[in-house]
Amino acid sequence: LISSTASAQYVVVHQPGVVVQQPAVVLQQPAVVVQQPMQPAIVVPPFVRARGLGVGLRANIAYTGENDLVLWGGGGVLRLIGGPRLGLEISVDANGSEDGLSVPIDFSGLVFFNRRGRIQPYLLAGFNFNVVSPRKREVSFLYAGGHAGVGVELLLGRHLGLTLEGRSFVQGLADPDVEGGLEYGVTFNTGLNFYFRRHRR
């Protein structure tokens, strides 16, 4: 289509509109899944008693049936743990009353039952010596005999144990020239033991 005027001529070219249609570009990235290895569950094995040496202090109360006496006192303990179930113990106590002083020395074997727990019951048995010094006499008497009992130890940590124990004993005079019958009784004690070797987990 061409149009003109008196002063100038103009050429008007009408072109159809050009529409450029591009397909929509959709970028699809594959989902990235990061798989982390599963952390293994932390399994704490049960508390196991280890071999080692232990020392302790304890308080006790004793009753002797022959003389009908109640004695109070305490002493020290030396323990050698040979394994989760077996141990040896040496204890020395000093028990007194208004009638005199008694110093028992016990040698005991220990057998533990619950070797994989903090609460460990045990049996004990052994032999003992006892030095008895009556207040009314200037001489001391030596007794010898045996004992047996039960106990339980609560392991408070890797180095510390709390014990509660009861034992019975029978003893007689070690000097055959001194007249006297058998003496029997029971002893109850509680104490704390410190172990130098660590209890392993």
Side-chain angles (χ1 to χ4, degrees), residues 86-108:
L86 300 177
L88 296 175
E89 178 185 276
I90 301 174
S91 63
V92 180
D93 297 304
N95 304 322
S97 69
E98 296 180 355
D99 295 328
L101 178 66
S102 174
V103 181
I105 304 172
D106 295 353
F107 300 86
S108 308

Side-chain angles (χ1 to χ4, degrees), residues 26-41:
V26 180
L27 300 178
Q28 294 183 351
Q29 295 181 353
V32 179
V33 180
V34 179
Q35 294 183 352
Q36 296 182 352
M38 296 182 62
Q39 297 294 331

Side-chain angles (χ1 to χ4, degrees), residues 52-198:
L53 183 67
V55 295
L57 295 174
R58 67 184 186 184
N60 56 52
I61 178 174
Y63 172 77
T64 59
E66 178 68 20
N67 299 317
D68 194 21
L69 290 178
V70 177
L71 301 94
W72 301 79
V77 177
L78 177 65
R79 280 190 169 186
L80 176 62
I81 305 300
R85 292 193 181 275
L86 300 177
L88 296 175
E89 178 185 276
I90 301 174
S91 63
V92 180
D93 297 304
N95 304 322
S97 69
E98 296 180 355
D99 295 328
L101 178 66
S102 174
V103 181
I105 304 172
D106 295 353
F107 300 86
S108 308
L110 309 174
V111 179
F112 296 93
F113 290 98
N114 183 21
R115 73 185 190 92
R116 290 185 176 273
R118 289 181 179 271
I119 300 177
Q120 298 192 352
Y122 59 90
L123 294 177
L124 64 94
F127 61 93
N128 58 272
F129 299 97
N130 191 3
V131 180
V132 178
S133 302
R135 295 187 183 276
K136 297 180 180 180
R137 299 186 181 184
E138 297 180 356
V139 296
S140 299
F141 301 96
L142 177 62
Y143 287 82
H147 62 270
V150 296
V152 61
E153 184 171 22
L154 172 61
L155 298 177
L156 302 176
R158 298 179 183 272
H159 300 277
L160 196 63
L162 173 66
T163 59
L164 180 63
E165 187 182 283
R167 64 179 68 186
S168 61
F169 62 88
V170 177
Q171 58 190 11
L173 285 171
D175 188 351
D177 297 330
V178 179
E179 296 183 358
L182 291 177
E183 189 175 76
Y184 60 91
V186 293
T187 302
F188 299 96
N189 61 67
T190 181
L192 286 173
N193 297 323
F194 178 84
Y195 294 96
F196 293 99
R197 289 289 301 274
R198 294 173 57 184

